[in-house]
Amino acid sequence: MRRHAESSCHWVISAAIGLSLVVPGGLSAQNLPMVVTSESARATALASRADDALRYAVGLSPSLNAFDGVTGGVSIFSAGALSLGLRIRLQQWPADVPLAWQSDSMEAPHLITPRSAETQWLPDVPGDMATLTWARDDLPPGATLTLERVFHGYRAFHGHQARALGSAQTCNIDAVCEEIDWDQPVRSTVLVTVEENDARTLCSGAVLNNTANDARPLLITARHCDITRSNANSVIATFNYQRSVCGGANDGVSLDTISSSTWLGESVSGDTTLLELSREIPSAFDPHFSGWSAVAQPASSGAGIHHPDGDQKKISLFTSPATVSDNVTVGDFNVDAWRVRWNSGTTQVGSSGSGLWDQDRRLVGVLSGGSHSCDTPTGDDFYGRLPVAWDESSAIRNALDPVTDGTARSASGRDLNSIGPTPSPTPPSMEGGSGGGGTGLATLMLLLGALIRRRVRAAPAGGTIESKVVMSVI
């Protein structure tokens, strides 16, 4: 068994919930209960799932799963893992006794606010060994923890999420490079992971404002990211994962995460899903609740902001007007999309679900797929149109516009420190219609590792694309 640093269990930290958590002296990885995963189970799971580029981790059963709170913690080891995630359940656990989830390479742990009698998903940490610890002296006698699943990451890993730090294609542009002009959409963009079919996958997404301007934590992403009613509670949203300096070191590390969400609604034709995160977004995350427009007016210019291949946040820019493209085939689904061609930057797998912002910094769509890449600069990308999602889903309309019952087709963005009641927006002109039509679902997502990627045949310049535009996996 490999040696694990004892220092990870000897710390005092200030919890976000306002207390200091002290892990009792004398505990170390060596004297905590040790959980391992089965080598044969790992091999079987990886053989069946490793070729699916939508996934980065497989779920495995732990060798032990039930722990009395008096143990003070548990060590997790899964040989060869690039990252570890957990699914846990707590019983009779006080809300004021958080857990600390950490691996050797982390300078600080994730602090987990307990939700007793509920399943919880813990963020990925780097490496194949980690510890989950708590203040045992503060627990009642009946407090127990059950490890339901260990998620063994098998794709390249960055600092605190499950992709390769710096793995994006070279023509990508760090989001921080354009923060002066696009700061608000950048702060709206998050990395999204979810459990699906006993594995974990990732996408991108964005936090949206609503017409009530009440800081409701609404998160928009692509429907093909496969977040449903049944697995929305396994979503983990990571904020602020980006480089600190344009073109600088790969120093993007973020502990700014929110676990769990509620599924609100979806649009098949618009390849759109809307979620509500499980708690208010802390002001320390410095979030921006993005403005949006569901008006069927193509953007004259704008940006896409995303996490390509799960890497640090990037930005792509276009200066030629977007065009309407109905019934575009993307893999195994169709989408009514905005078609854009980038002047700088690109998108990759993992960028799926990220926002498209117009010249007025309003989100107008979410990424479905495309053929653009560093090697194919004349390719196009396709974003499920928000006007289509708006027309198709009353749930999306009502969540975004609770003030006028889904009739105001736009909203301004707001920072958290300026949130407060505002007058209802005046519904903008409806000229031009929604352009809706066709059926569509989604599926670009994260094609990973060996540069597998969804692409489309390059579309003709100008005009509306008919239903024969086809994306294929190569």
Side-chain angles (χ1 to χ4, degrees), residues 2 78 80-85 103-105 125-130 153 157-159:
R2 56 181 277 186
S78 189
L82 299 177
S83 64
L84 291 174
S103 60
D104 279 347
S105 62
V125 297
D128 62 3
M129 190 170 185
F157 185 86
H158 77 57

Side-chain angles (χ1 to χ4, degrees), residues 37 89 92 240 281 329 393 425 449 457:
T37 57
R89 179 176 286 268
Q92 299 184 45
N240 302 315
I281 304 171
T329 301
S393 171
R457 175 170 54 85

Side-chain angles (χ1 to χ4, degrees), residues 289-329:
F289 295 77
S290 181
W292 47 268
S293 173
V295 178
Q297 178 65 42
S300 61
S301 62
I305 303 167
H306 52 100
H307 287 280
D309 206 27
D311 198 357
Q312 299 156 109
K313 198 177 298 180
K314 308 297 181 183
I315 187 169
S316 306
L317 302 171
F318 68 100
T319 56
S320 298
T323 57
V324 171
S325 300
D326 284 336
N327 206 26
V328 180
T329 301

Side-chain angles (χ1 to χ4, degrees), residues 87-91 117-120 144-148:
R87 189 174 81 209
I88 67 171
R89 179 176 286 268
L90 302 170
Q91 296 290 339
E118 292 184 26
T119 296
Q120 292 182 248
T144 60
L145 178 143
T146 300
L147 290 180
E148 296 186 340

